[in-house]
Amino acid sequence: MSVNDEFTLYDLKVEVVANRGRMMCHERIGDYFEVKSGTIFMPEGQGFPLYAMAALLPLLPAKQRPTHPNDWMTTDSDIACPDVHCGAVFRISRTTMRTLRHSEESGEQLPASEAQP
């Protein structure tokens, strides 16, 4: 019996989309990074503010996963900069859906009761 250990995640784009005041963290509208599987990619020569990144990171794994249509994680995509003096707004957008395999992403074996035939 072969085991289907596939699961899906969304790739994400996190972009600076608005300025509601002074950009204290030196980001610029249009700056972005992408999340593909478990890796963050940035355009060559572009950085991203450390404290904004730290605030966004906990949201990314949840945004990668399929969620119920009524879940706020499905509908809400704009995040304010965590610096109260900064006016940056970041948007987390789901892009493509990627199929991954548990056996390629984890060192743990799936319990036999959870494996799909």
Side-chain angles (χ1 to χ4, degrees):
M1 174 174 126
S2 66
V3 174
N4 180 358
D5 67 343
E6 293 179 344
F7 64 100
T8 57
L9 293 178
Y10 286 99
D11 288 345
L12 306 173
K13 182 176 184 180
V14 181
E15 182 175 11
V16 181
V17 295
N19 178 3
R20 295 183 182 156
R22 186 171 169 204
M23 297 284 220
M24 298 300 297
C25 301
H26 309 292
E27 58 274 272
R28 297 179 312 249
I29 291 177
D31 285 354
Y32 72 95
F33 65 87
E34 294 178 298
V35 180
K36 297 178 182 179
S37 185
T39 304
I40 294 174
F41 296 90
M42 285 185 215
E44 176 116 12
Q46 184 206 285
F48 206 86
L50 177 64
Y51 295 110
M53 178 77 77
L56 291 164
L57 283 174
L59 301 172
L60 301 181
K63 283 298 268 189
Q64 283 188 291
R65 281 151 176 78
T67 49
H68 189 279
N70 296 336
D71 187 331
W72 72 270
M73 192 58 73
T74 304
T75 59
D76 298 15
S77 60
D78 288 0
I79 310 298
C81 183
D83 182 336
V84 297
H85 302 291
C86 185
V89 178
F90 306 96
R91 179 166 296 144
I92 303 172
S93 302
R94 291 173 167 170
T95 56
T96 59
M97 187 167 273
R98 179 180 301 273
T99 300
L100 303 165
R101 296 181 61 94
H102 181 273
S103 59
E104 296 171 357
E105 301 296 325
S106 175
E108 298 289 326
Q109 297 290 321
L110 281 174
S113 62
E114 294 181 25
Q116 300 291 316

